[in-house]
């Protein structure tokens, strides 16, 4: 099955992880993706939200993860809904 995220196609069989995230920057400059739940419940003034994203990790570990940024939470939710629609229509 092929998934399309922001006009890029991916074979789901090559993916090891697919998840939404908040991309944050800690006060020390470290940038990392974290779960939306962690961001909603635990983020404080030591954390700066850079953007939201859908992250794709691959079974081939040498391949860099793909990160698809979204300008805000509403746009991310639309991206998630588009993925769900693709998955649901493939199962029909």
């Amino acid at each position: 099955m092929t998934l399309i995220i922001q006009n890029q196609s991916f074979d789901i069989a090559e993916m090891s992880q697919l998840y939404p995230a908040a991309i944050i920057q800690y006060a020390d400059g470290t940038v990392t993706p974290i779960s939306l739940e962690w961001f909603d419940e635990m983020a404080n003034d030591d954390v700066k939200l850079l953007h939201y994203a859908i992250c794709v990790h691959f079974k081939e570990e040498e391949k860099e993860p793909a990160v698809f940024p979204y300008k805000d939470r509403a746009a991310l939710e639309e991206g998630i809904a588009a993925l769900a629609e693709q998955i649901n229509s493939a199962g029909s």
Side-chain angles (χ1 to χ4, degrees):
M1 175 181 175
T2 299
L3 289 179
I4 300 172
I5 306 170
Q6 295 182 357
N7 298 319
Q8 290 191 32
S9 298
F10 298 94
D11 183 344
I12 199 167
E14 295 176 1
M15 295 178 181
S16 63
Q17 294 182 35
L18 171 67
Y19 60 92
I23 308 300
I24 61 164
Q25 182 176 36
Y26 288 102
D28 69 0
T30 303
V31 174
T32 190
I34 51 106
S35 74
L36 299 177
E37 180 181 18
W38 186 95
F39 182 75
D40 291 344
E41 294 177 12
M42 305 293 289
N44 57 35
D45 292 339
D46 294 334
V47 172
K48 176 183 175 186
L49 174 67
L50 300 178
H51 55 265
Y52 292 99
I54 291 177
C55 302
V56 179
H57 290 253
F58 301 97
K59 291 178 182 175
E60 184 181 323
E61 293 180 12
E62 301 79 39
K63 192 171 183 178
E64 285 290 316
V67 177
F68 297 91
Y70 292 85
K71 63 181 179 175
D72 56 32
R73 187 77 171 251
L76 173 66
E77 296 292 338
E78 289 175 16
I80 293 168
L83 283 173
E85 185 176 315
Q86 291 176 62
I87 292 167
N88 289 337
S89 66
S92 300

